[in-house]
PDB file of all heavy atoms in Angstrom:
ATOM      1  N   LYS D 342     -11.429  20.013  33.169  1.00  0.00           N
ATOM      2  CA  LYS D 342     -11.462  20.629  31.812  1.00  0.00           C
ATOM      3  C   LYS D 342     -11.928  22.116  31.944  1.00  0.00           C
ATOM      4  O   LYS D 342     -12.763  22.602  31.221  1.00  0.00           O
ATOM      5  CB  LYS D 342     -12.466  19.922  30.906  1.00  0.00           C
ATOM      6  CG  LYS D 342     -12.116  18.485  30.533  1.00  0.00           C
ATOM      7  CD  LYS D 342     -11.051  18.396  29.594  1.00  0.00           C
ATOM      8  CE  LYS D 342     -10.701  16.926  29.220  1.00  0.00           C
ATOM      9  NZ  LYS D 342      -9.332  16.655  28.710  1.00  0.00           N
ATOM     10  N   SER D 343     -11.428  22.745  33.009  1.00  0.00           N
ATOM     11  CA  SER D 343     -11.879  24.125  33.355  1.00  0.00           C
ATOM     12  C   SER D 343     -10.994  25.068  32.651  1.00  0.00           C
ATOM     13  O   SER D 343      -9.886  24.761  31.986  1.00  0.00           O
ATOM     14  CB  SER D 343     -11.843  24.328  34.721  1.00  0.00           C
ATOM     15  OG  SER D 343     -10.532  24.132  35.331  1.00  0.00           O
ATOM     16  N   ASP D 344     -11.550  26.282  32.613  1.00  0.00           N
ATOM     17  CA  ASP D 344     -10.689  27.401  32.100  1.00  0.00           C
ATOM     18  C   ASP D 344     -10.264  27.358  30.772  1.00  0.00           C
ATOM     19  O   ASP D 344      -9.105  27.822  30.331  1.00  0.00           O
ATOM     20  CB  ASP D 344      -9.406  27.714  33.040  1.00  0.00           C
ATOM     21  CG  ASP D 344      -8.817  29.025  32.808  1.00  0.00           C
ATOM     22  OD1 ASP D 344      -9.499  29.861  32.507  1.00  0.00           O
ATOM     23  OD2 ASP D 344      -7.593  29.127  33.140  1.00  0.00           O
ATOM     24  N   GLY D 345     -11.142  26.636  29.793  1.00  0.00           N
ATOM     25  CA  GLY D 345     -10.760  26.413  28.487  1.00  0.00           C
ATOM     26  C   GLY D 345      -9.451  25.798  28.100  1.00  0.00           C
ATOM     27  O   GLY D 345      -8.758  25.899  27.156  1.00  0.00           O
ATOM     28  N   VAL D 346      -9.029  24.788  29.134  1.00  0.00           N
ATOM     29  CA  VAL D 346      -7.796  24.058  29.028  1.00  0.00           C
ATOM     30  C   VAL D 346      -7.706  23.190  27.779  1.00  0.00           C
ATOM     31  O   VAL D 346      -8.725  22.636  27.450  1.00  0.00           O
ATOM     32  CB  VAL D 346      -7.422  23.372  30.236  1.00  0.00           C
ATOM     33  CG1 VAL D 346      -8.307  22.167  30.404  1.00  0.00           C
ATOM     34  CG2 VAL D 346      -5.980  22.908  30.367  1.00  0.00           C
ATOM     35  N   VAL D 347      -6.676  23.215  27.071  1.00  0.00           N
ATOM     36  CA  VAL D 347      -6.433  22.200  26.158  1.00  0.00           C
ATOM     37  C   VAL D 347      -5.230  21.398  26.517  1.00  0.00           C
ATOM     38  O   VAL D 347      -5.482  20.307  26.831  1.00  0.00           O
ATOM     39  CB  VAL D 347      -6.159  22.719  24.712  1.00  0.00           C
ATOM     40  CG1 VAL D 347      -5.865  21.660  23.696  1.00  0.00           C
ATOM     41  CG2 VAL D 347      -7.449  23.580  24.214  1.00  0.00           C
ATOM     42  N   LYS D 348      -3.958  21.898  26.684  1.00  0.00           N
ATOM     43  CA  LYS D 348      -2.814  21.180  27.181  1.00  0.00           C
ATOM     44  C   LYS D 348      -2.165  22.041  28.304  1.00  0.00           C
ATOM     45  O   LYS D 348      -1.835  23.147  27.930  1.00  0.00           O
ATOM     46  CB  LYS D 348      -1.909  20.779  26.099  1.00  0.00           C
ATOM     47  CG  LYS D 348      -2.380  19.858  25.078  1.00  0.00           C
ATOM     48  CD  LYS D 348      -2.663  18.465  25.702  1.00  0.00           C
ATOM     49  CE  LYS D 348      -1.399  17.563  25.727  1.00  0.00           C
ATOM     50  NZ  LYS D 348      -1.755  16.090  26.004  1.00  0.00           N
ATOM     51  N   PRO D 349      -1.991  21.509  29.465  1.00  0.00           N
ATOM     52  CA  PRO D 349      -1.161  22.148  30.462  1.00  0.00           C
ATOM     53  C   PRO D 349       0.274  21.748  30.261  1.00  0.00           C
ATOM     54  O   PRO D 349       0.484  20.543  30.313  1.00  0.00           O
ATOM     55  CB  PRO D 349      -1.719  21.735  31.779  1.00  0.00           C
ATOM     56  CG  PRO D 349      -2.873  20.717  31.589  1.00  0.00           C
ATOM     57  CD  PRO D 349      -2.746  20.419  30.035  1.00  0.00           C
ATOM     58  N   LEU D 350       1.175  22.644  30.204  1.00  0.00           N
ATOM     59  CA  LEU D 350       2.569  22.374  30.133  1.00  0.00           C
ATOM     60  C   LEU D 350       3.205  22.468  31.479  1.00  0.00           C
ATOM     61  O   LEU D 350       2.960  23.393  32.249  1.00  0.00           O
ATOM     62  CB  LEU D 350       3.323  23.455  29.143  1.00  0.00           C
ATOM     63  CG  LEU D 350       4.749  23.277  29.013  1.00  0.00           C
ATOM     64  CD1 LEU D 350       5.069  22.248  28.047  1.00  0.00           C
ATOM     65  CD2 LEU D 350       5.352  24.651  28.612  1.00  0.00           C
ATOM     66  N   ILE D 351       3.951  21.482  31.787  1.00  0.00           N
ATOM     67  CA  ILE D 351       4.697  21.399  33.051  1.00  0.00           C
ATOM     68  C   ILE D 351       6.074  21.712  32.781  1.00  0.00           C
ATOM     69  O   ILE D 351       6.764  21.166  31.960  1.00  0.00           O
ATOM     70  CB  ILE D 351       4.492  19.938  33.752  1.00  0.00           C
ATOM     71  CG1 ILE D 351       3.113  19.535  33.727  1.00  0.00           C
ATOM     72  CG2 ILE D 351       5.287  19.972  35.141  1.00  0.00           C
ATOM     73  CD1 ILE D 351       2.194  20.518  34.545  1.00  0.00           C
ATOM     74  N   THR D 352       6.652  22.772  33.621  1.00  0.00           N
ATOM     75  CA  THR D 352       8.029  23.107  33.438  1.00  0.00           C
ATOM     76  C   THR D 352       8.879  22.642  34.564  1.00  0.00           C
ATOM     77  O   THR D 352       8.247  22.422  35.778  1.00  0.00           O
ATOM     78  CB  THR D 352       8.069  24.650  33.311  1.00  0.00           C
ATOM     79  OG1 THR D 352       7.492  25.197  34.510  1.00  0.00           O
ATOM     80  CG2 THR D 352       7.353  25.176  31.997  1.00  0.00           C
ATOM     81  N   TYR D 353      10.090  22.611  34.436  1.00  0.00           N
ATOM     82  CA  TYR D 353      11.031  22.041  35.457  1.00  0.00           C
ATOM     83  C   TYR D 353      12.119  23.070  35.841  1.00  0.00           C
ATOM     84  O   TYR D 353      12.529  23.813  34.920  1.00  0.00           O
ATOM     85  CB  TYR D 353      11.643  20.705  35.088  1.00  0.00           C
ATOM     86  CG  TYR D 353      10.535  19.594  34.900  1.00  0.00           C
ATOM     87  CD1 TYR D 353       9.800  19.541  33.856  1.00  0.00           C
ATOM     88  CD2 TYR D 353      10.326  18.661  36.107  1.00  0.00           C
ATOM     89  CE1 TYR D 353       8.714  18.660  33.747  1.00  0.00           C
ATOM     90  CE2 TYR D 353       9.276  17.786  35.799  1.00  0.00           C
ATOM     91  CZ  TYR D 353       8.472  17.682  34.682  1.00  0.00           C
ATOM     92  OH  TYR D 353       7.554  16.776  34.630  1.00  0.00           O
TER      93      TYR D 353
END
Side-chain angles (χ1 to χ4, degrees):
Chain D
K342 301 283 181 205
S343 56
D344 195 27
V346 70
V347 179
K348 291 296 275 189
L350 178 79
I351 308 303
T352 59
Y353 294 81

